């Protein structure tokens, strides 16, 4: 299956061959995380935890089920999620008085508790996050990691004394994102979603999108400014220094297993996955190249090599299965291990180990005396080159246009927009592209709306989405 020709089928083929997830579970859109897929996702979660902990967030874990009475308190929120939530109506044989919803996201689970937790300005800011499964009844075609019904999900929720303080939180979220994306070697762009496309209940939403090699964008997360839209119905108030009671300002930040989907789509090739070293379950695989008369010596050297690399903090797999080296290479290429190390009789004589990079195929040797620093250097070179390649691909897909005649396939288009909803819908309906929003960092623009021709002071981004 070729990545260039048919990205969708290629992607599913790679996920299956690398055994990242098993979709044979008998509920559509609810896939089983295999050990290899779960290791990769746990490494991504590890980066999220590290960055959130370092910025003063506390990890929590809220119940999965939310009573209908709480779920329905914010009117826009319930309208937005009505058609995609799962309901629990019975407990044993008894019909429940109050139905329970499986969380599609946790605002309505957390906020009744925030109302109890927040008392005074001393309790603010409140910054918590959780990494849990959420449930949404997707009606579009499901696709592993990209569109599923049980979603491995990260969400942070914060409460602040003022809108300015909440804005500072959003700036911090953007900064956290840049660090996480760096580890994933994943370029992205931010846009403020249109009013008709923002998160239900939000004051505004920043969409985090990346672009896949087929030119379609994939939303990998979002950041929301709620102002007091939720704190009013949930009565989350605090007493300020003057003894006045005020509603808190809130933000949220969410990302999901789509991050893994994006990594797979971005970096892999026709031979299989290419795992960015920071999240690779195994960063190196050690393969002994034995012959009849040196089997024991080479196997022992390979074992010692793998142990040394592990001690130095490099996630290493020793593949000492009784199989031909060629078939081992093939297996680990599919799984995307960034660095392969081979050790045979001649390598031992020369005091070296032979390496092969998964990304470029480049081969060479590292001295056995400094094998761990040598491997670390190669891993950081692989990260840098994956980052650069992805960045180039990303840049090549951004295009600024001033006329619909210049709309080309597989690009993220930027053009003048008057800001009116009617023009937005007209564009989406006519050309089958989605309006993603206005660029998050404000840009000066003086020109015309590409749709109606009126004066425009802003640009808008549009693309086909995955
Ligand atoms: Zn217009």
């Amino acid at each position: 299956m070729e990545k260039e020709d048919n990205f969708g089928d290629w992607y599913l083929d790679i996920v299956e061959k690398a055994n990242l997830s098993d979709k044979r579970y008998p509920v559509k859109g609810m896939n089983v995380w295999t050990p290899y897929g779960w290791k990769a996702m746990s490494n991504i979660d590890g980066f999220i935890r590290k960055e959130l902990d370092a910025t003063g967030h506390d990890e929590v874990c809220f119940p999965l089920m939310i009573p209908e009475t709480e779920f329905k308190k914010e009117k826009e929120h319930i309208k937005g999620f009505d058609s995609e939530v799962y309901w629990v109506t019975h407990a044993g044989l008894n019909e429940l008085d109050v139905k329970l919803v499986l969380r599609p996201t946790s605002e309505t689970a957390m906020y009744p508790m925030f109302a109890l937790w927040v008392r005074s300005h001393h309790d603010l800011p409140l910054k918590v996050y959780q990494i849990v499964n959420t449930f949404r009844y997707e009606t579009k075609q499901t696709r592993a990691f990209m569109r599923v019904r049980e979603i491995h999900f990260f969400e942070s929720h914060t409460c602040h004394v003022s809108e300015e303080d909440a804005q500072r939180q959003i700036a911090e979220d953007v900064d956290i994102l840049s660090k996480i994306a760096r580890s994933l070697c994943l370029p992205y762009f931010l846009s403020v979603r249109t009013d008709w496309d923002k998160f239900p209940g939000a004051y505004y939403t920043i969409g985090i999108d990346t672009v896949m090699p087929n030119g379609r964008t994939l939303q990998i997360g979002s950041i929301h400014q709620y102002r007091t839209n939720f704190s009013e119905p949930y009565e989350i108030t605090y007493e300020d220094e003057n003894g006045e009671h005020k509603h808190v300002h809130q933000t949220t930040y969410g990302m999901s297993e789509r991050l893994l989907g994006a990594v797979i789509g971005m970096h892999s090739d026709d031979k299989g996955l290419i795992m960015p070293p920071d999240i690779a379950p195994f960063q190196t695989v050690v393969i002994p190249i034995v012959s009849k008369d040196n089997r024991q010596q080479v196997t022992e050297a390979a074992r010692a090599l793998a142990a040394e690399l592990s001690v130095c903090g490099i996630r290493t797999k020793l593949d000492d299965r009784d199989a031909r080296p060629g078939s081992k290479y093939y297996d680990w290429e599919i799984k995307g291990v960034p660095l392969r190390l081979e050790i045979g009789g001649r390598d031992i004589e020369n005091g070296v180990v032979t390496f092969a990079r998964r990304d470029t195929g480049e081969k060479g040797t590292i001295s056995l005396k400094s094998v761990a620093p040598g491997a670390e250097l190669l891993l950081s070179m692989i990260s840098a080159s994956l980052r650069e390649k992805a960045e180039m691909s990303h840049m090549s897909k951004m295009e600024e246009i001033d006329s619909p005649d210049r709309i080309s396939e597989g690009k993220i288009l930027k053009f003048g927009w008057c800001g009116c909803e009617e023009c937005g819908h007209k564009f989406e309906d006519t050309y089958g592209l989605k309006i993603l929003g206005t660029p998050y960092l404000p840009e000066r623009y003086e020109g015309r709306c590409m749709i109606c021709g009126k004066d425009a002071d802003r640009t808008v981004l549009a693309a086909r989405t995955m």
Side-chain angles (χ1 to χ4, degrees):
M1 200 73 68
E2 308 251 318
K3 184 175 186 177
E4 292 294 320
D5 302 337
N6 188 341
F7 179 78
D9 289 346
W10 166 87
Y11 173 86
L12 292 177
D13 195 44
I14 291 283
V15 169
E16 188 146 331
K17 280 189 181 146
N19 194 15
L20 288 167
S21 132
D22 197 331
K23 61 170 194 246
R24 291 174 297 178
Y25 189 73
V27 180
K28 189 173 177 282
M30 297 189 185
N31 301 334
V32 179
W33 287 93
T34 59
Y36 195 66
W38 188 245
K39 278 191 183 85
M41 192 65 228
S42 301
N43 288 336
I44 296 175
D45 291 344
F47 281 105
I48 295 175
R49 282 199 173 89
K50 182 175 149 230
E51 297 303 334
L52 270 286
D53 292 348
T55 44
H57 294 74
D58 288 311
E59 186 166 4
V60 292
C61 190
F62 271 71
L64 163 65
M65 291 196 237
I66 303 165
E68 182 178 23
T69 41
E70 294 300 335
F71 185 64
K72 291 197 161 163
K73 270 187 185 164
E74 207 291 320
K75 297 287 174 284
E76 292 301 315
H77 192 68
I78 172 67
K79 257 197 273 166
F81 280 106
D82 221 7
S83 65
E84 47 181 279
V85 289
Y86 288 87
W87 289 101
V88 175
T89 57
H90 286 75
L93 299 176
N94 301 326
E95 194 171 335
L96 294 172
D97 293 337
V98 178
K99 286 193 290 177
L100 301 167
V101 65
L102 300 188
R103 63 177 162 231
T105 169
S106 299
E107 281 75 0
T108 60
M110 290 186 174
Y111 299 172
M113 301 309 293
F114 285 7
L116 302 172
W117 291 356
V118 176
R119 282 276 161 263
S120 92
H121 61 99
H122 296 298
D123 301 323
L124 299 171
L126 175 74
K127 297 164 71 162
V128 299
Y129 74 95
Q130 64 180 11
I131 298 177
V132 292
N133 288 12
T134 57
F135 295 81
R136 296 183 191 178
Y137 180 66
E138 273 289 351
T139 47
K140 290 185 192 162
Q141 171 130 41
T142 55
R143 174 180 282 147
F145 310 123
M146 290 190 181
R147 186 171 287 116
V148 289
R149 291 175 175 172
E150 179 168 355
I151 311 159
H152 182 73
F153 192 63
F154 147 79
E155 53 183 324
S156 79
H157 294 256
T158 67
C159 298
H160 305 267
V161 289
S162 63
E163 184 168 356
E164 297 73 60
D165 201 44
Q167 276 307 122
R168 274 194 289 277
Q169 182 57 49
I170 287 173
E172 183 178 89
D173 293 343
V174 169
D175 190 48
I176 290 170
L177 171 66
S178 73
K179 290 175 180 155
I180 294 167
R182 189 178 159 76
S183 295
L184 272 53
C185 305
L186 205 59
Y188 60 90
F189 61 98
L190 303 176
S191 45
V192 179
R193 293 284 192 251
T194 57
D195 269 345
W196 71 86
D197 192 32
K198 67 186 182 187
F199 182 79
Y203 172 58
Y204 72 79
T205 289
I206 301 169
I208 308 164
D209 296 290
T210 187
V211 56
M212 290 290 96
N214 63 353
R216 289 182 180 238
T217 59
L218 179 69
Q219 181 171 353
I220 49 172
S222 47
I223 298 169
H224 311 289
Q225 164 68 277
Y226 290 163
R227 278 193 171 172
T228 58
N229 290 359
F230 283 90
S231 64
E232 286 176 27
Y234 287 90
E235 295 175 47
I236 312 172
T237 60
Y238 70 99
E239 193 178 309
D240 73 5
E241 284 130 332
N242 307 317
E244 250 182 86
H245 287 267
K246 290 179 172 163
H247 287 105
V248 299
H249 283 255
Q250 292 181 280
T251 77
T252 58
Y253 180 8
M255 293 192 288
S256 72
E257 59 183 87
R258 275 198 182 173
L259 287 171
L260 180 57
V263 163
I264 298 162
M266 183 70 76
H267 301 299
S268 308
D269 61 19
D270 293 344
K271 285 190 211 159
L273 288 181
I274 300 179
M275 283 281 184
D278 280 356
I279 66 153
F282 306 117
Q283 296 169 308
T284 67
V285 56
V286 172
I287 298 178
I289 312 292
V290 297
S291 60
K292 264 181 290 178
D293 44 354
N294 68 10
R295 177 173 296 271
Q296 199 187 347
Q297 184 204 14
V298 169
T299 305
E300 272 168 26
R303 240 175 241 152
L305 172 64
E308 186 184 342
L309 291 166
S310 298
V311 165
C312 293
I314 299 172
R315 294 188 292 275
T316 302
K317 174 81 181 173
L318 171 68
D319 186 355
D320 57 1
R321 289 177 297 164
D322 186 18
R324 282 180 307 106
S327 79
K328 294 183 184 180
Y329 298 168
Y330 178 79
D331 290 348
W332 295 109
E333 261 173 10
I334 288 179
K335 287 193 172 289
V337 175
L339 189 63
R340 184 176 82 220
L341 299 175
E342 302 154 23
I343 186 160
R346 191 173 297 166
D347 294 310
I348 296 170
E349 275 168 35
N350 296 335
V352 296
V353 53
T354 301
F355 74 81
R357 280 173 63 160
R358 172 64 181 87
D359 61 331
T360 57
E362 182 196 341
K363 287 185 177 183
T365 57
I366 319 174
S367 163
L368 267 172
K369 281 188 197 133
S370 57
V371 72
E376 262 164 19
L377 179 65
L378 281 163
L379 289 169
S380 70
M381 286 162 68
I382 292 168
S383 296
S385 110
L386 288 179
R387 220 172 272 133
E388 190 183 348
K389 195 172 160 225
E391 197 64 52
M392 299 265 281
S393 154
H394 193 87
M395 295 303 288
S396 75
K397 293 187 168 63
M398 302 299 244
E399 197 162 286
E400 200 162 337
I401 61 169
D402 53 12
S403 151
D405 303 339
R406 295 191 50 212
I407 292 176
S408 48
E409 274 303 313
K411 300 278 182 187
I412 302 161
L413 305 170
K414 185 157 96 169
F415 51 85
W417 177 45
C418 63
C420 101
E421 184 164 340
E422 209 187 319
C423 282
H425 288 315
K426 190 175 161 199
F427 176 84
E428 288 185 332
D429 294 345
T430 312
Y431 303 105
L433 290 120
K434 184 179 156 60
I435 300 265
L436 298 168
T438 52
Y440 168 65
L441 292 176
E443 298 169 3
R444 254 184 84 83
Y445 182 78
E446 280 174 45
R448 295 192 177 284
C449 173
M450 192 178 79
I451 304 120
C452 70
K454 286 190 197 137
D455 284 346
D457 62 357
R458 73 193 82 178
T459 55
V460 74
L461 296 156
R464 273 189 212 286
T465 57
M466 282 297 297

